[in-house]
Amino acid sequence: MTLSVAGLSYAYGAKQALADVSFAAQPGRFTALLGPNGAGKSTLFGLLAGLLRPGAGRVEVAGHDMARAPRRALAQMGIVFQQTTLDLDLTVRQNLRYFAALRGLAGRAADARIDAALERLGMVERAGEKVRALNGGHRRRTEIARALLHEPAVLLLDEPTVGLDAASRAAITAHVHDLAQDGLAVLWATHLTDEVGQGDHLLVLHQGHLLADGGVGEVTSGAPLSDYFLGVTGHAA
């Protein structure tokens, strides 16, 4: 397994945000972390990214323990957070070159990886445009391309379609499903059931507890995912 989470718990003072959460995200699989707002998804991503330290539990990435070897674990992850971190006044390619340099990549090696990432996300024709001129969907594609430059084993995306129109949401979701089919382990957090495919690995998180872990059909027993989600969380999606 590429990403393994075991017994993960975290509290903000007296408020328990995550309670004994365990799951695995496998290479070549799109794992959808589905939960309403406030379920604990962003807290989980903060723990996976090393921004928070768990009260209990373990995170392992590509065989590296996050607590014992955080640099090695983080080197195997590409992360896209809800809030954009692109420099709006640089072009798409300049943003990617800057990130590549931070990862120790330069020259022809960096250019080759940038070209490959842009091709993968359908952004080659936008490479010379300033990020400020891009729509929300293309900005997200740029961030995903950036997250792939160091060839991570795991791609984490925390509510990556927030604020996008329906067409852009569908395009981004399809692109990332393709990345999973190419062999990447993907963990995609969302509160929207239409972003989850029938063949995806599904995790349902609610009030800090993992309610379900399995294939979509297995979890829902063949019922529509939206109906199942409403039934177990009380939230429509």
Side-chain angles (χ1 to χ4, degrees):
M1 62 189 67
T2 300
L3 172 64
S4 175
V5 173
L8 207 60
S9 297
Y10 189 83
Y12 297 97
K15 178 178 173 54
Q16 192 72 33
L18 288 177
D20 195 26
V21 170
S22 299
F23 66 89
Q26 305 283 1
R29 197 85 188 272
F30 185 103
T31 296
L33 177 67
L34 179 65
N37 293 329
K41 301 188 299 296
S42 291
T43 297
L44 175 59
F45 269 62
L47 291 165
L48 297 179
L51 301 176
L52 302 173
R53 301 183 68 177
R58 180 180 180 182
V59 175
E60 191 174 279
V61 186
H64 303 294
D65 188 296
M66 180 66 77
R68 296 179 181 178
R71 289 186 180 180
R72 291 182 179 181
L74 289 169
Q76 294 297 321
M77 289 194 292
I79 307 174
V80 178
F81 290 110
Q82 286 186 37
Q83 299 299 320
T84 184
T85 56
L86 298 170
D87 189 319
L88 300 182
D89 293 317
L90 295 181
T91 67
V92 169
R93 184 175 292 278
Q94 287 170 335
N95 267 279
L96 269 56
R97 279 180 175 160
Y98 178 73
F99 182 80
L102 292 178
R103 288 285 184 172
L105 297 170
R108 292 181 179 177
D111 286 338
R113 292 201 188 183
I114 289 170
D115 289 342
L118 291 173
E119 179 70 32
R120 218 170 179 186
L121 273 299
M123 288 292 293
V124 172
E125 294 182 356
R126 306 281 182 175
E129 295 183 23
K130 287 191 175 182
V131 170
R132 188 179 299 280
L134 301 178
N135 63 31
H138 286 131
R139 291 185 189 186
R140 273 303 189 205
R141 292 195 203 188
T142 301
E143 290 186 293
I144 296 170
R146 183 181 61 180
L148 297 174
L149 286 181
H150 61 294
E151 299 180 344
V154 183
L155 179 62
L156 308 179
L157 305 101
D158 185 13
E159 302 266 10
T161 62
V162 168
L164 300 183
D165 60 71
S168 294
R169 284 203 305 111
I172 294 295
T173 306
H175 274 296
V176 178
H177 273 87
D178 288 344
L179 293 174
Q181 289 182 358
D182 288 344
L184 199 61
V186 170
L187 181 63
W188 172 287
T190 184
H191 63 278
L192 300 169
T193 57
D194 66 354
E195 294 182 353
V196 184
Q198 192 62 32
D200 291 343
H201 174 206
L202 176 64
L203 306 170
V204 178
L205 188 68
H206 183 48
Q207 296 179 346
H209 295 269
L210 197 63
L211 303 183
D213 179 353
V216 173
E218 173 191 354
V219 168
T220 65
S221 299
L225 179 55
S226 56
D227 292 349
Y228 167 82
F229 187 64
L230 178 61
V232 297
T233 68
H235 290 262

